[in-house]
Amino acid sequence: MTATVYYAELPWPEVERRVANGAPMFLPLGATEQHGRHMALNVDVVLPTAIAARAAAKVSGLVLPTIAYGNRSQPKTGGGPGFPGTINLTASTFSLIIRDVICDLYRQNIRKIVTVNGHYENISATIEGIELALDVLGRERVSDLTIIRIDHWDMIRGETLDRIFPDGYPGIELEHASVIETSMMMALRPDLVDLTKASHDGPAAFLPYDRYPKPCDEVPPSGVLSLTEGSSAEKGEWLLADCEAGVVEIVNREFSGR
């Protein structure tokens, strides 16, 4: 039991012991969102959880239960509300969850917190949640607290992107349910990927503005914003290795000597 990196799998005395030993706490931030016809709805849960677990194992950390619902899916980054399956939280709700979790971690003497995000639309709401937590705790009182906010795709090295996209990287926004996420899922959970159901109806060509309340017609019918062609478990391992190494490097740098 005590060998696990998962916080919720431990009894409270073991959590208390690890916290006393300075274990950094990883909080994966995900979403339940469509990822094309070829992948499960939990991609944004699986990826940050796995990356956090791999990094935690290297730095004697613990992985908190993943927040499995994300800030509202947008057409240009997640396909938007036009697909069955996606469950949205408002930005205010999501930020308040982040606030409350951080405040309660601080109450339990946890001073090293790392959020690992797997859902693009969570970015601004996560920042707001961290800021709200600091407002509640009192910025003048928390000089012993360090919170690191990471989006896992930012850990991917340029050399790896060049290797995977020799004809040019389309950008993380259009990579929704495309080569990066599909390859990582093929490496981690091949049982949740069926490339025979992938539709090559992208890439999306979005207009340079947003329009409400009319649905965004530029989203491909599959929900894949770019293409799945070229995805592989091997590429997924390259990507995961970058993400793990990047997170470990940041944690060692920011928490060294603490």
Side-chain angles (χ1 to χ4, degrees), residues 29-31 69-71 94 117-127:
L29 307 176
Y69 301 106
N71 187 26
F94 188 86
N117 179 38
H119 178 60
Y120 189 88
E121 291 89 332
N122 285 347
I123 294 174
S124 59
T126 302
I127 294 169

Side-chain angles (χ1 to χ4, degrees), residues 80-151:
F83 295 88
T86 300
I87 300 174
N88 295 308
L89 296 180
T90 63
S92 58
T93 298
F94 188 86
S95 64
L96 291 175
I97 292 171
I98 300 298
R99 180 201 68 182
D100 288 355
V101 171
I102 290 173
C103 288
D104 220 49
L105 293 175
Y106 190 83
R107 178 184 65 82
Q108 297 184 62
N109 296 317
I110 292 165
R111 299 295 185 263
K112 303 172 185 177
I113 301 171
V114 184
T115 67
V116 182
N117 179 38
H119 178 60
Y120 189 88
E121 291 89 332
N122 285 347
I123 294 174
S124 59
T126 302
I127 294 169
E128 179 67 5
I130 292 170
E131 295 286 2
L132 289 172
L134 295 176
D135 289 343
V136 170
L137 294 170
R139 293 166 193 266
E140 71 287 349
R141 295 177 50 240
V142 294
S143 58
D144 57 344
L145 171 66
T146 300
I147 302 168
I148 307 299
R149 193 195 69 80
I150 296 172
D151 301 313

